Amino acid sequence: MANIVEEIKKPIATEMKLFEQKFYESMQSNVPLLDKVTRFIVTTKGKQMRPMFVFLCSKLVGEVNEKSFRGASMIELIHTATLVHDDVWMKVLNGETSFLSTLYGKIKLRFW
């Protein structure tokens, strides 16, 4: 699978490198807790298939521009948010390790 992904990335290698830089910069925060969480999210990135598709489609119908980078960032951010949401609720409720417990140790949930 990794070889296939690398082949797909070849025509957009420059855009993907720039995307990673822009995405990381956009995720930085002056709020220490938020910065720590977003840094964890950005450094544990996956294959980034969604941004790849945005850039490939942009090239297919014209060119990659700033709107392409914003679109790729939004899709990646929404995708990541859903993963974090699932991780927190499903794993914590089942007593498993979540990304938050990795950052902060054992978490106790309080329900009203």
Side-chain angles (χ1 to χ4, degrees):
M1 176 73 159
N3 291 337
I4 294 170
V5 172
E6 292 307 314
E7 280 296 312
I8 295 170
K9 276 186 181 180
K10 280 183 182 178
I12 53 164
T14 304
E15 289 85 354
M16 288 302 295
K17 185 167 259 188
L18 186 55
F19 169 75
E20 287 185 24
Q21 177 186 343
K22 286 177 176 254
F23 189 66
Y24 180 78
E25 289 170 1
S26 72
M27 295 291 284
Q28 293 178 346
S29 171
N30 292 330
V31 178
L33 175 60
L34 185 57
D35 191 54
K36 188 173 185 177
V37 170
T38 56
R39 212 172 330 116
F40 180 83
I41 290 168
V42 171
T43 57
T44 57
K45 65 181 172 62
K47 297 179 290 294
Q48 296 182 323
M49 297 296 285
R50 287 149 196 86
M52 285 174 30
F53 291 138
V54 170
F55 297 131
L56 288 168
C57 289
S58 293
K59 281 194 169 191
L60 185 66
V61 298
E63 66 178 9
V64 174
N65 56 34
E66 196 56 38
K67 288 181 181 180
S68 308
F69 284 99
R70 280 195 299 258
S73 293
M74 289 304 300
I75 289 171
E76 190 68 6
L77 189 56
I78 291 167
H79 171 66
T80 302
T82 61
L83 293 177
V84 169
H85 178 269
D86 289 350
D87 182 66
V88 169
W89 288 107
M90 297 308 293
K91 290 185 179 176
V92 172
L93 289 173
N94 291 323
E96 299 172 17
T97 301
S98 72
F99 96 96
L100 285 177
S101 60
T102 301
L103 289 174
Y104 301 106
K106 192 139 181 114
I107 295 173
K108 291 185 180 180
L109 292 178
R110 185 174 164 192
F111 295 97
W112 287 267

